[in-house]
Amino acid sequence: MKNICKLSLKMLKRNKLLNIYIIIQMAIVFAMTIFMVSSLTSRYHYYLPFKKFIESDGYFCNLTSATTVLGKYVQCSSDISEAVYGAEESNVQASYRVNLSNIHEDNMYALFSYSYDEEIYNNWIPDMQEGNWLSDIKNSGSEEIPVVVYDTTHSMKLGDVLEKQSIDYIEDDQGNGKNEVKKIKLRIDGILSDDAEIVHYNELEYGDCRDIFSTVKDITEREGYETLYLFRSQDIHSADIFCMSSGIAFINTNCNISDELKNENQTIIIGITEDFMELKDFQKNSQKYITDEIKKIMPIFLCILLLTIIITISVNAITTYKEVTNYALYYICGLTWKMAMLISLIHAAFQTLLALFTAVISMLVCYFINIFSNTVLEFHPLQILVCLAMIIMNMIFAFIMPYIIIRNSTPREILTSN
Amino acid sequence: MIKLSDIRKIYNKGKSNEFEALKEVSLTINDGEMTAVIGKSGAGKSTLLHILACIDSYEDGEYYIDDMLVKNLSEKKLAEIRNSKIGMVMQDYALVDDFSCIENVLLPLDFAKNKKANKTELAMNALKSVGMDGMAKKPVNKLSGGQKQRVAIARAVVNEPSIILADEPTGALDSKTSAEIMGLFHKLNENGKTIIIVTHDMEIANQCGRIIEIFDGKIKF
Ligand SMILES: Nc1ncnc2c1ncn2[C@@H]1O[C@H](COP(=O)(O)OP(=O)(O)OP(=O)(O)O)[C@@H](O)[C@H]1O
Ligand SMILES: [Mg+2]
């Protein structure tokens, strides 16, 4: 066995130029496949994070800040679930506008700040420039509220503590209202990158999963803010800061409720917002968007698949034709054909591994020097699976190609025909 | 002992260019014999030698090596016989071109069923016996014809086979080099090896203890 490996390695060294050419060719095919699979899976990019919600019964809503349910502002998910039939607190996930302003400023919502319910920030992790996203923040138990910011001025630093205030309007027994100012300390735990996409409602533009997201750059530009502050709902609640539902809300209802209750729910939702969609339709649209996208790239994908197969076959045919005389010589010296096929197999294994290595290294290099910044490149288990399938296909051909070529001839015929 | 009975070899059987290269060849060669096989071009000499070397098939008849019926042997056992019982020297040397001399000679040792520890030493000894030990590291594509033939002989003998088959080993060599190569075969024969040499050179044939002539695929008596 050791000797077989030795001969395979010698074979790799022998046709250096051809092997380098083949390895580069295979590396390119690997890279193409990885890109292709990336662009296939990336179509699910906006769908998978909230799959659980999208595929359930209920509503996808945009709530405005002034939304009231049962006569009060929506401050947490239970405020909605209490009003909707067949919805529990955990089935409603929303985002909220947080009441924060700079010190000595008396505009209540002066700061562009939002908080997310747990399942929203856990299921979507945006691109961070540095620090942690909300889902990775460790509760330090300190007074400072962890915040993730997007700062167009690039002047904020990780770990900075910001002093802000929250203004509450309270009425006393006589009905005299007054503002109560509360000082708040925020600790910057993460800074979003410029092209980060976050869960943020814009408008029902497509009516599918793309509507869930917007890039921070667009949002701040559109709304005219310098800085965006993002919080976890629970931190806002425990600090007793006022907030109001604003933006996206997934309201999942139990699918077993009667049609009557469903209709009632619809009326309730209409009462809350006019900007909503039934999740059933939302899901259908999303699925259609994904299949349409996939259909668009399918022809390229099939071509690459075909190309891969053809390249695999031709590479192995060339290698085998080049080596078959040597196999015959080994045969004369006492090797079985089976072992010759094994040499071919091991040689192909070395070749493929080198090619895969080359592909991954060059892709990582490109990735780090940012050539592909606008290209989708994701590493999924699916890519590994597809690469594995390619490797196995190559090995199978490497094993049977000598068999196909040798099958009908004796070693002396091979030797004399060359 | 080698024994052939009624061996028939048909090339391209069943096709329009079917050709019967050997017609009922029967032959016995005893251990330690030095035999020349002569005949016109196309008579079937190489065909016969390749069958003897277990690297070609045949349609009919029986071939025994040391009382083993070759037909019944497994692929693995046949490989073992090619490796340890038979040393083959081909007309065009049949060396791995970009291997060095020693790498070529090491091949049969690498494929041997019983691995020997001192492979390099054995290979060097074989090269020494043909006077090529000085060029062990040289790639064979940088050698002359005579030198290549020596390396081919070294490779054929390195596993100490009892039978050595040579197809026109001097065909491409000048007379001085031919004489040296024949000297090597004589020495091997003196050491008890069975030697079968295919040649069209009567001078070479006459140096062998026995001459077999093939004519039109048959042995001529
Ligand atoms: N693969 C083949 N297909 C068809 N015919 C073949 C094949 N190999 C050899 N022959 C024919 O079989 C006959 C015997 O061939 P062989 O090579 O044994 O002759 P030879 O005696 O060795 O001749 P030479 O002295 O020229 O080497 C020849 O007529 C040749 O044309
Ligand atoms: Mg011949």
Side-chain angles (χ1 to χ4, degrees):
Chain A
M1 198 55 211
K2 207 177 100 203
N3 295 318
I4 300 294
C5 287
K6 207 170 72 185
L7 285 172
S8 310
L9 273 178
K10 277 185 184 166
M11 186 169 153
L12 205 61
K13 273 197 285 182
R14 172 156 49 226
N15 306 311
K16 243 186 231 117
L17 223 60
L18 179 74
N19 273 316
I20 289 173
Y21 167 74
I22 287 175
I23 286 169
I24 290 175
Q25 185 177 322
M26 284 182 8
I28 292 173
V29 172
F30 269 126
M32 279 198 306
T33 312
I34 290 172
F35 272 126
M36 221 47 232
V37 175
S38 280
S39 59
L40 276 183
T41 52
S42 73
R43 310 296 142 168
Y44 284 94
H45 188 67
Y46 295 136
Y47 184 81
L48 292 179
F50 299 107
K51 181 173 187 281
K52 189 182 118 194
F53 295 104
I54 299 173
E55 290 178 0
S56 311
D57 256 15
Y59 303 91
F60 172 75
C61 315
N62 171 34
L63 306 178
T64 56
S65 305
T67 300
T68 52
V69 177
L70 303 177
K72 63 176 188 180
Y73 292 123
V74 174
Q75 288 222 57
C76 58
S77 54
S78 60
D79 291 343
I80 299 176
S81 55
E82 274 166 15
V84 176
Y85 295 102
E88 289 167 24
E89 188 178 347
S90 60
N91 290 337
V92 176
Q93 295 289 316
S95 59
Y96 309 85
R97 184 73 195 259
V98 182
N99 171 353
L100 281 178
S101 53
N102 290 314
I103 304 281
H104 305 313
E105 202 173 30
D106 43 4
N107 181 357
M108 280 176 76
Y109 290 92
L111 294 185
F112 194 38
S113 45
Y114 285 87
S115 66
Y116 292 127
D117 280 339
E118 195 172 347
E119 294 217 39
I120 291 188
Y121 65 71
N122 275 342
N123 283 317
W124 177 262
I125 297 170
D127 260 358
M128 301 299 293
Q129 186 181 303
E130 51 183 335
N132 291 323
W133 173 239
L134 298 172
S135 56
D136 294 324
I137 288 172
K138 312 269 178 306
N139 263 333
S140 57
S142 73
E143 289 172 62
E144 296 142 7
I145 301 171
V147 62
V148 169
V149 298
Y150 172 64
D151 173 27
T152 51
T153 62
H154 296 284
S155 56
M156 291 184 171
K157 282 187 288 302
L158 217 56
D160 278 0
V161 174
L162 313 172
E163 288 212 9
K164 302 290 172 192
Q165 62 180 22
S166 167
I167 306 168
D168 229 351
Y169 181 78
I170 33 179
E171 286 179 356
D172 60 17
D173 302 340
Q174 278 82 43
N176 302 323
K178 72 169 189 233
N179 283 342
E180 192 187 75
V181 175
K182 190 160 48 169
K183 290 227 161 86
I184 308 279
K185 277 184 181 167
L186 310 178
R187 186 191 67 233
I188 298 179
D189 259 36
I191 298 174
L192 291 165
S193 72
D194 280 329
D195 43 13
E197 283 179 292
I198 58 166
V199 172
H200 189 89
Y201 189 80
N202 178 11
E203 53 177 322
L204 267 178
E205 190 181 348
Y206 307 102
D208 62 39
C209 51
R210 282 171 293 178
D211 287 338
I212 304 172
F213 306 92
S214 300
T215 57
V216 281
K217 218 172 171 173
D218 290 349
I219 302 167
T220 45
E221 252 167 45
R222 194 173 53 228
E223 308 280 339
Y225 288 96
E226 270 184 357
T227 316
L228 169 69
Y229 303 82
L230 299 175
F231 300 91
R232 304 185 292 192
S233 289
Q234 73 259 37
D235 294 332
I236 297 301
H237 290 144
S238 48
D240 210 14
I241 302 172
F242 192 73
C243 65
M244 290 190 295
S245 63
S246 169
I248 276 161
F250 288 103
I251 302 172
N252 280 156
T253 53
N254 193 325
C255 55
N256 294 326
I257 58 173
S258 67
D259 286 350
E260 236 170 280
L261 286 182
K262 273 183 194 167
N263 284 338
E264 264 184 67
N265 270 345
Q266 187 105 350
T267 321
I268 293 167
I269 300 286
I270 293 172
I272 298 174
T273 176
E274 285 175 6
D275 221 354
F276 75 96
M277 255 183 106
E278 271 196 65
L279 281 171
K280 235 185 291 157
D281 299 327
F282 191 77
Q283 196 269 342
K284 233 181 272 164
N285 292 349
S286 302
Q287 205 60 57
K288 184 173 178 317
Y289 154 70
I290 291 166
T291 16
D292 284 352
E293 287 291 302
I294 288 177
K295 267 187 207 149
K296 264 187 238 163
I297 49 172
M298 227 6 155
I300 312 173
F301 188 74
L302 289 178
C303 286
I304 288 180
L305 197 73
L306 210 68
L307 195 70
T308 309
I309 294 172
I310 291 170
I311 284 178
T312 310
I313 293 175
S314 55
V315 157
N316 283 299
I318 292 169
T319 316
T320 310
Y321 270 113
K322 270 200 95 83
E323 285 298 317
V324 73
T325 324
N326 289 329
Y327 296 151
L329 295 181
Y330 300 157
Y331 184 90
I332 291 171
C333 294
L335 199 71
T336 54
W337 277 144
K338 261 194 216 119
M339 284 296 167
M341 281 151 74
L342 198 61
I343 292 178
S344 168
L345 182 76
I346 294 171
H347 171 258
F350 283 134
Q351 236 177 15
T352 350
L353 287 181
L354 280 173
L356 190 62
F357 185 73
T358 314
V360 170
I361 291 292
S362 37
M363 284 172 84
L364 285 179
V365 168
C366 292
Y367 188 74
F368 281 115
I369 59 175
N370 249 333
I371 291 184
F372 296 139
S373 54
N374 289 322
T375 322
V376 273
L377 178 59
E378 300 172 331
F379 288 98
H380 268 280
L382 191 63
Q383 264 111 330
I384 298 171
L385 220 69
V386 171
C387 286
L388 211 68
M390 282 173 62
I391 292 172
I392 289 171
M393 185 173 75
N394 192 40
M395 307 283 262
I396 289 173
F397 279 117
F399 194 65
I400 61 172
M401 204 52 90
Y403 174 76
I404 291 171
I405 292 174
I406 291 166
R407 180 183 49 180
N408 291 320
S409 37
T410 55
R412 74 148 301 191
E413 279 169 340
I414 291 163
L415 284 175
T416 45
S417 72
N418 277 287
Chain B
M1 195 176 72
I2 288 171
K3 197 170 157 229
L4 296 181
S5 63
D6 298 329
I7 291 284
R8 258 158 49 97
K9 170 73 187 175
I10 301 169
Y11 285 114
N12 306 319
K13 191 167 182 186
K15 292 190 193 142
S16 58
N17 57 347
E18 185 175 299
F19 182 82
E20 193 170 4
L22 291 179
K23 301 164 187 167
E24 296 175 356
V25 169
S26 298
L27 177 68
T28 305
I29 294 172
N30 292 315
D31 290 346
E33 264 193 286
M34 182 153 175
T35 310
V37 177
I38 58 167
K40 281 207 205 103
S41 183
K45 307 182 292 291
S46 295
T47 306
L48 175 67
L49 206 69
H50 292 138
I51 288 173
L52 289 175
C54 302
I55 61 172
D56 207 351
S57 57
Y58 43 92
E59 271 56 47
D60 256 325
E62 243 94 85
Y63 171 24
Y64 295 89
I65 298 182
D66 293 345
D67 298 324
M68 281 182 292
L69 185 56
V70 168
K71 210 162 42 185
N72 291 345
L73 298 176
S74 68
E75 163 91 11
K76 218 168 151 190
K77 183 76 194 162
L78 267 177
E80 205 184 312
I81 286 178
R82 288 196 303 274
N83 180 260
S84 62
K85 257 195 193 317
I86 298 170
M88 179 78 185
V89 181
M90 309 279 274
Q91 182 170 356
D92 55 356
Y93 324 118
L95 297 169
V96 182
D97 254 356
D98 48 2
F99 277 14
S100 65
C101 299
I102 187 134
E103 282 177 316
N104 267 287
V105 177
L106 276 168
L107 284 176
L109 292 167
D110 281 344
F111 300 152
K113 194 177 160 208
N114 305 314
K115 300 271 181 281
K116 294 177 180 116
N118 53 342
K119 286 194 286 196
T120 318
E121 192 188 330
L122 290 172
M124 279 309 286
N125 284 345
L127 281 171
K128 203 170 185 173
S129 72
V130 295
M132 286 295 294
D133 47 330
M135 294 190 199
K137 290 265 157 66
K138 212 168 173 177
V140 292
N141 53 20
K142 299 240 160 66
L143 301 180
S144 71
Q147 290 170 326
K148 281 185 190 173
Q149 199 60 288
R150 285 163 196 271
V151 176
I153 293 170
R155 189 180 65 187
V157 300
V158 69
N159 255 347
E160 304 258 325
S162 51
I163 302 161
I164 289 165
L165 307 170
D167 196 352
E168 313 232 18
T170 60
L173 307 178
D174 62 70
S175 55
K176 183 168 161 278
T177 322
S178 299
E180 284 166 10
I181 297 289
M182 279 312 287
L184 292 172
F185 283 116
H186 280 298
K187 214 165 80 194
L188 288 166
N189 183 236
E190 279 158 27
N191 290 337
K193 309 279 183 215
T194 309
I195 294 188
I196 303 171
I197 297 177
V198 166
T199 183
H200 56 263
D201 184 345
M202 276 319 285
E203 209 175 302
I204 302 267
N206 285 332
Q207 293 179 36
C208 300
R210 180 177 169 193
I211 297 175
I212 295 169
E213 187 178 354
I214 304 216
F215 181 78
D216 256 359
K218 278 188 204 140
I219 291 184
K220 200 170 161 188
F221 293 100

